[in-house]
Amino acid sequence: MFDTMVLTKAVAAFCGALLIFLLGNWAASGLYVPGNAGAEQAFIIDTGADDADDAEPVAELSFEEAYEIADASAGSRLWSQCRACHALEEGRNGVGPYLHGVVNREIAAVDGFNYSGALSQAGDAWTPEVLSEFLLNPNALTPGTSMSYRGMPSAEDRANLIAYIESES
């Protein structure tokens, strides 16, 4: 089936296709790359961006500071990330347990929900600080948890979300 002529045709087809792609690249470079692409800039427009780099960086709030000034209405938009698995109505479990009254509630205390054993590593109660640490990275606080959430890096967002959950309870 594979004789010398078939093999020669296959190699010739490959080489021909490669040649067409190389010629296409050469033509595109000639059309779209300007001739002075490697030259230095003729002039510079000052946008003030260098001044902004010299400014003092804004320090991010700690969770405790963010929780003191937390905005529950801003947390309502963040609730959509939790709504897929949790409910705020008491007694209505979903994929995850209901979160009504979760702030300062004992960990793994919802009757009728089958928790993973990893939550015992989080502590005794869902204080705002423990909730924040859990929301930052659930797998870091409780390795082996069945909650597959990637985490919420912003302390301000975590504080707003916890304030929203607490206000809705």
Side-chain angles (χ1 to χ4, degrees), residues 11 23 48 71 76 92 106 108 115 160 163:
V11 170
L23 289 174
D71 181 16
S76 65
R92 191 179 129 216
E106 187 178 323
Y115 289 95
N160 291 339

Side-chain angles (χ1 to χ4, degrees), residues 38-125:
E40 288 191 35
Q41 276 183 288
F43 57 90
I44 298 174
I45 299 173
D46 184 19
T47 61
D50 293 338
D51 298 338
D53 292 342
D54 295 338
E56 191 172 307
V58 178
E60 188 174 327
L61 294 174
S62 69
F63 173 74
E64 289 77 17
E65 294 168 340
Y67 190 64
E68 288 177 11
I69 60 170
D71 181 16
S73 62
S76 65
R77 67 176 173 80
L78 298 166
W79 170 247
S80 63
Q81 298 176 21
C82 308
R83 184 182 334 190
C85 300
H86 298 279
L88 280 175
E89 296 82 29
E90 188 171 2
R92 191 179 129 216
N93 293 327
V95 174
Y98 66 87
L99 297 181
H100 182 272
V102 72
V103 179
N104 294 319
R105 178 173 71 195
E106 187 178 323
I107 292 179
V110 172
D111 293 332
F113 188 79
N114 186 17
Y115 289 95
S116 61
L119 286 178
S120 62
Q121 301 170 16
D124 296 329

Side-chain angles (χ1 to χ4, degrees), residues 62-68 102-104 107 122 125-137 141 158-159 162 166:
S62 69
F63 173 74
E64 289 77 17
E65 294 168 340
Y67 190 64
E68 288 177 11
V102 72
V103 179
N104 294 319
I107 292 179
W126 287 118
T127 63
E129 291 77 18
V130 172
L131 279 169
S132 173
E133 191 175 343
F134 187 72
L135 288 172
L136 176 62
N137 188 352
L141 181 65
R158 292 191 311 269
I162 293 169
E166 190 172 25

